[in-house]
Amino acid sequence: MKRYFVYLFFYSFISCHLSGEDKVYNSGIHIIPEPLQLEVRQGVFPISNSTTLSLENGDWEKEASVLMNKLEEASGYKLSFSDSSSNNCIRLKTNGNLEEEGYEIEVDDKQILLSAATEKGMFYAIQTLFQLLPAEIESAKPLKMGLSVPAVKIADHPRFSYRGVMIDVSRHFFTVEELKKQISVMAMLKLNRLHLHLTDNQGWRIAIDKYPQLVECSAVQETYNEELYGPCYYTKEDIKELVAYAGRHHIEVIPEIEFPGHSLSALVPFPELSCSGGPFKSEQVFGYEENVFCVGNDSVFTFMENVLTEIAELFPARYLHIGGDECVKRYWQTCPRCQALAKRMNLHPTPEHSVEEQLQSYAIKRMERFISGTLGKRMIGWEEILEGGLPEDATVMSWKGTECGAKAAATGHDVVMASMADGLYLCAAQGADEVEPAAMGGQSCLKDVYEFEPLPKELAPEKRKHVIGTQACLWSEWTPSGELLEYMLYPRTVALAETAWTTPEKKNWDDFLRRLENMQVRLDLKGINYHIPLPEGELTTNKVFTGDSVILEFKNSRSLPMVYTVDGTTPNMYAPSLPERLVLHQPCTLKVCTKTANGKLSPIRTINIEKQTPIPAIQNTCNGQIHLQLANGLFKDHSDYTKAVYEKDTIINSFAVYNKDKFDFKTPGLACYSGEIEVPETGIYTFKSNADELWIAGKLLIYNPTSSRFYEKKTQIALEKGLHSFALLFSNRLKEGFASCWYPIDFQYLPPSGGEWIKSN
């Protein structure tokens, strides 16, 4: 809510100083995705209270209402209907020669002509028309400006028929209203598929009448932090509301029910459907899970058929997603039922596939027959459904890269490219790990998504028709809130939209960035919390100097301007511009952020600039031993750490002696490792660790009580050559779904002269 009022103040402020027509971001044509053909002509068409609407040789009432409602909300103008001969008219006309999602727009000073063959095409024509108007057309309040449309001629249709976004609502749940908000943006960008990942190990998020135990047991999760997550799930009425809303925006909602792996949420209430028999617990634990459906048990298929029957009734989409990925088959190897099935089917290992992979193929094919034959849907699944062979009608979602998708297309399967290797996993960080929120390992920057090419070069021309589109995926382990969900989705989803719609020869990165400035204003007016690149280059939480001055050099992934302050105040759009080399002579609190062309600021980085005298070394002999103290209980933050009562006190020779394998997050506790390190030279050292606290020479350098996966903080300190004390605090617990004991317990430091990072003992 606070962020919303900041947006409101910001746009109210600049609106007092500039009219919509004068704002730089409204100059020129800024349509995203870029149309196939665009001709800019002389003149404009002014929209006024006397502008009329004509519906010609077609039933365009629904589309006309979209146009009329938006114009009335933004301007107060109420368009009336007229015949086609009127001037000052917006005409909606049928052109049966256009493609299903294609449209044409022709604007001069007397009329606007929108032509399409279908409702989808006309809807997209109207979305483009809105983007020809000032960005403020997206405001929920009436505008105090005139509205005019530049004279243009546009002929457009999409490159791919499938243009999608996947949102994982299992790991973290998002409400119907939060999803509607994303649908409205997707429609503006001409995206047409919303793939909902409804079930996984961590949660079952949709009510099934035949099995009420699914949401009773698996819509709420244990977090091992003295609280529960949930209950969170969609009722059938929720789904009907969401599907209807998406339908009005010409977006198909594709449900995914995971099978046969990623299925723990189904096994919690029904352990008899597993190989081991359970019992199982519903937990918000993001990690590896070996318990999966038992494919040798016919009751599993009865269960899935009953579930999918109810799912198919709720979702009118052509596709039904079966998952099929990352199925751990260890239990199948020793399960009597699974092995009996393999024996009856006379399965034997082949050079290409194990017996268990062939069992998965059997299970997937059996489900495909039910989905296509009984439900009349088309099955889609992650690329692992190819293991052992697949029916021709199944569609493959290629997620690891494009290689598997290319192979599937070459054999006649339709393919959706959702390549993690090419940046389409939007749970990856959008910049340096040290400055961005905790995320999946690796990076996916805006340009990576924009430059992704869904058609593999090695695919024969006659097989390219089988690549039906592309999709970005947002796995929600790292997005516990709707605000963070949007931060990860946008603007990368904007880039995806152009990749999915626009032909490669029409794409231009620099021009996309220009058009993005206008789109970001539209996102602001829709209340979207999109990502702005943070200042990088200097990646430590502080900057230490020992001489007369220190030099800092920052950059960001889109070469946007940056602003800063050195007096501890919060920078605003009028703060001093950051030079290429910032020279500081005094200790201070530096606050720096990136600024977009319309004055919007990124999150602020705070870096303490410290002048230090190297801390003297300890006059002692280093024996290399570590003092280890252990306390039982849940310790969440520094105030908890200070209250620890250590129950075990021992000496170990290295961190390796008592490391992550000694801990179980279900039995939380606190470990304090202390000792000495010997540093090789005098100067400024950089330390890094994902530990909860790291103290060097009596100073707290690193404090990180939140999720630290792929998120090692870095801090500097000036030390004299020789021995210095250290203390590392490790809180063994589940942090935002990730167990801290899954990662090595240690720290590293970089000497003043550089070179390799030195690992702690």
Side-chain angles (χ1 to χ4, degrees):
M1 184 62 71
K2 183 184 294 184
R3 186 181 294 269
Y4 171 78
F5 285 116
V6 171
Y7 291 158
L8 188 62
F9 171 79
F10 173 73
Y11 283 102
S12 298
F13 178 81
I14 61 173
S15 295
C16 293
H17 291 75
L18 291 171
S19 68
E21 297 92 332
D22 293 334
K23 294 171 184 174
V24 174
Y25 55 76
N26 279 332
S27 63
I29 306 297
H30 31 68
I31 301 165
I32 297 178
E34 176 73 17
L36 184 64
Q37 296 177 26
L38 168 63
E39 178 187 341
V40 181
R41 297 174 170 179
Q42 292 294 318
V44 298
F45 176 85
I47 298 176
S48 66
N49 239 339
S50 60
T51 301
T52 60
L53 195 63
S54 171
L55 310 184
E56 301 179 24
N57 66 338
D59 180 15
W60 301 118
E61 280 79 5
K62 284 193 296 184
E63 288 65 39
S65 67
V66 172
L67 177 59
M68 295 170 71
N69 291 341
K70 174 82 83 173
L71 291 177
E72 183 175 354
E73 287 175 5
S75 66
Y77 300 150
K78 295 184 178 181
L79 275 61
S80 59
F81 289 99
S82 69
D83 60 47
S84 59
S85 62
S86 302
N87 287 332
N88 192 19
C89 182
I90 302 174
R91 299 166 55 197
L92 278 62
K93 183 178 180 180
T94 300
N95 182 345
N97 294 321
L98 298 178
E99 295 189 11
E100 180 186 11
E101 295 184 295
Y103 66 91
E104 292 180 348
I105 298 178
E106 194 160 0
V107 182
D108 58 29
D109 59 353
K110 295 182 175 60
Q111 68 171 4
I112 297 175
L113 175 61
L114 308 179
S115 303
T118 67
E119 291 182 356
K120 287 182 182 179
M122 188 59 74
F123 182 81
Y124 292 144
I126 291 169
Q127 297 306 309
T128 296
L129 176 61
F130 290 154
Q131 290 197 42
L132 289 169
L133 289 163
E136 287 76 10
I137 194 73
E138 301 299 336
S139 174
K141 294 185 176 181
L143 305 176
K144 296 179 180 179
M145 65 173 71
L147 293 179
S148 60
V149 181
V152 294
K153 184 176 182 181
I154 295 173
D156 197 15
H157 62 81
R159 183 186 183 198
F160 293 108
S161 62
Y162 188 111
R163 307 177 300 279
V165 172
M166 187 219 75
I167 297 178
D168 170 12
V169 297
S170 174
R171 273 58 173 253
H172 283 109
F173 182 79
F174 304 102
T175 66
V176 169
E177 291 306 312
E178 287 173 322
L179 293 179
K180 282 183 177 180
K181 191 177 177 185
Q182 313 322 314
I183 286 170
S184 72
V185 177
M186 290 174 64
M188 179 171 65
L189 297 170
K190 304 184 180 75
L191 294 165
N192 65 353
R193 299 295 199 289
L194 174 60
H195 167 185
L196 288 184
H197 187 76
L198 290 164
T199 70
D200 211 296
N201 295 322
Q202 293 80 14
W204 188 283
R205 304 300 180 194
I206 185 167
I208 301 297
D209 291 341
K210 193 171 185 66
Y211 303 111
Q213 304 96 317
L214 287 167
V215 292
E216 290 170 3
C217 298
S218 293
V220 60
Q221 282 71 46
E222 173 62 67
T223 68
Y224 298 97
N225 282 289
E226 300 177 334
E227 59 187 9
L228 298 176
Y229 182 83
C232 299
Y233 66 95
Y234 304 110
T235 66
K236 289 196 169 182
E237 291 307 310
D238 288 335
I239 294 298
K240 290 174 184 177
E241 178 185 347
L242 182 68
V243 167
Y245 183 84
R248 292 195 295 273
H249 290 77
H250 294 279
I251 290 173
E252 196 173 70
V253 183
I254 298 174
E256 179 183 358
I257 304 296
E258 277 277 16
F259 174 85
H262 286 274
S263 50
L264 187 65
S265 60
L267 303 181
V268 169
F270 301 110
E272 67 274 13
L273 300 182
S274 71
C275 294
S276 66
F280 307 110
K281 188 173 184 178
S282 182
E283 304 170 320
Q284 195 181 48
V285 180
F286 306 138
Y288 186 77
E289 177 55 55
E290 293 187 332
N291 286 284
V292 301
F293 280 119
C294 174
V295 294
N297 182 352
D298 264 357
S299 297
V300 165
F301 295 94
T302 302
F303 169 84
M304 284 298 297
E305 288 170 5
N306 290 334
V307 167
L308 294 182
T309 297
E310 293 193 32
I311 292 293
E313 291 170 354
L314 286 171
F315 294 89
R318 177 189 183 194
Y319 294 101
L320 201 161
H321 205 298
I322 200 66
D325 61 312
E326 298 179 325
C327 180
V328 183
K329 304 172 181 66
R330 184 174 75 84
Y331 280 107
W332 293 359
Q333 294 173 350
T334 56
C335 171
R337 286 180 171 178
C338 291
Q339 291 305 309
L341 173 62
K343 186 175 182 179
R344 290 197 303 273
M345 296 176 63
N346 197 30
L347 299 181
H348 301 282
T350 70
E352 294 81 20
H353 299 292
S354 67
V355 167
E356 288 69 38
E357 286 174 336
Q358 294 173 69
L359 284 174
Q360 170 154 329
S361 176
Y362 155 79
I364 294 295
K365 288 178 179 177
R366 181 167 171 176
M367 292 313 307
E368 194 280 334
R369 288 194 297 271
F370 176 76
I371 290 169
S372 61
T374 303
L375 300 181
K377 301 279 189 180
R378 187 159 187 173
M379 188 185 81
I380 187 170
W382 302 107
E383 62 187 55
E384 288 91 334
I385 65 173
L386 282 168
E387 292 177 1
L390 189 66
E392 187 174 336
D393 285 344
T395 298
V396 175
M397 194 163 275
S398 186
W399 68 271
K400 295 177 184 177
T402 59
E403 182 180 356
C404 188
K407 290 179 180 178
T411 57
H413 295 291
D414 282 353
V415 171
V416 175
M417 293 295 189
S419 174
M420 175 176 64
D422 294 286
L424 298 193
Y425 267 35
L426 304 188
C427 41
Q430 300 175 76
D433 293 340
E434 293 88 346
V435 302
E436 290 290 343
M440 184 184 80
Q443 288 190 10
S444 164
C445 293
L446 182 66
K447 193 172 185 180
D448 297 324
V449 179
Y450 188 79
E451 293 186 341
F452 171 62
E453 173 47 54
L455 283 179
K457 292 180 181 179
E458 67 270 23
L459 192 60
E462 67 273 14
K463 297 295 185 180
R464 293 185 176 184
K465 65 182 179 181
H466 289 295
V467 178
I468 61 172
T470 185
Q471 175 173 289
C473 300
L474 198 289
W475 301 102
S476 65
E477 290 98 323
W478 299 273
T479 54
S481 68
E483 188 176 54
L484 197 50
L485 172 79
E486 293 170 1
Y487 183 88
M488 302 301 276
L489 280 174
Y490 308 103
R492 290 182 291 186
T493 298
V494 182
L496 173 83
E498 186 141 309
T499 293
W501 181 281
T502 304
T503 57
E505 59 271 15
K506 294 291 293 184
K507 291 173 65 179
N508 181 290
W509 168 246
D510 291 334
D511 188 62
F512 172 76
L513 292 180
R514 178 190 66 81
R515 290 176 283 127
L516 182 62
E517 293 171 7
N518 180 278
M519 180 57 67
Q520 287 179 155
V521 177
R522 295 172 189 266
L523 295 178
D524 278 319
L525 292 167
K526 286 179 173 288
I528 296 294
N529 178 44
Y530 57 87
H531 173 265
I532 299 172
L534 276 78
E536 298 181 12
E538 304 290 344
L539 297 178
T540 53
T541 60
N542 68 341
K543 190 72 174 181
V544 172
F545 67 105
T546 57
D548 295 330
S549 63
V550 62
I551 298 173
L552 297 95
E553 297 182 18
F554 290 93
K555 61 181 180 179
N556 61 70
S557 61
R558 300 216 306 263
S559 300
L560 294 171
M562 293 170 278
V563 294
Y564 75 104
T565 61
V566 293
D567 59 1
T569 60
T570 300
N572 58 31
M573 61 189 294
Y574 303 110
S577 296
L578 187 72
E580 289 186 12
R581 298 173 79 247
L582 177 63
V583 182
L584 298 173
H585 299 276
Q586 298 294 331
C588 64
T589 299
L590 171 66
K591 295 192 175 185
V592 58
C593 57
T594 306
K595 183 172 74 171
T596 66
N598 60 336
K600 178 82 176 290
L601 302 180
S602 74
I604 295 167
R605 286 194 62 200
T606 299
I607 301 172
N608 293 317
I609 309 301
E610 305 171 12
K611 185 171 184 177
Q612 295 182 4
T613 300
I615 297 174
I618 299 171
Q619 300 304 311
N620 202 349
T621 302
C622 181
N623 59 18
Q625 293 183 322
I626 296 173
H627 182 199
L628 173 63
Q629 297 171 289
L630 299 172
N632 294 322
L634 182 62
F635 299 87
K636 294 183 178 181
D637 53 31
H638 181 77
S639 63
D640 287 342
Y641 309 155
T642 60
K643 301 171 188 174
V645 177
Y646 293 105
E647 300 162 15
K648 183 176 180 179
D649 197 311
T650 188
I651 300 296
I652 58 177
N653 291 324
S654 69
F655 279 100
V657 172
Y658 207 99
N659 213 275
K660 61 178 185 174
D661 57 313
K662 300 291 186 181
F663 296 93
D664 178 355
F665 69 86
K666 295 181 182 180
T667 308
L670 186 70
C672 178
Y673 299 80
S674 59
E676 292 87 30
I677 56 170
E678 186 166 7
V679 300
E681 57 186 298
T682 296
I684 299 168
Y685 285 79
T686 302
F687 283 80
K688 69 176 180 178
S689 178
N690 59 13
D692 296 83
E693 288 187 358
L694 177 64
W695 297 72
I696 300 293
K699 287 192 172 185
L700 177 60
L701 293 194
I702 290 173
Y703 176 56
N704 189 24
T706 58
S707 178
S708 55
R709 191 178 193 216
F710 307 118
Y711 192 60
E712 291 182 313
K713 287 192 175 179
K714 296 176 180 175
T715 306
Q716 294 186 333
I717 187 172
L719 301 173
E720 281 190 358
K721 176 182 177 180
L723 284 183
H724 294 273
S725 65
F726 76 82
L728 182 149
L729 270 69
F730 165 75
S731 179
N732 172 42
R733 66 184 182 95
L734 201 65
K735 289 185 179 182
E736 299 171 7
F738 293 99
S740 56
C741 60
W742 291 346
Y743 315 108
I745 305 168
D746 60 17
F747 63 89
Q748 298 179 57
Y749 56 94
L750 188 66
S753 56
E756 299 292 327
W757 286 87
I758 299 174
K759 193 172 182 179
S760 54
N761 178 21

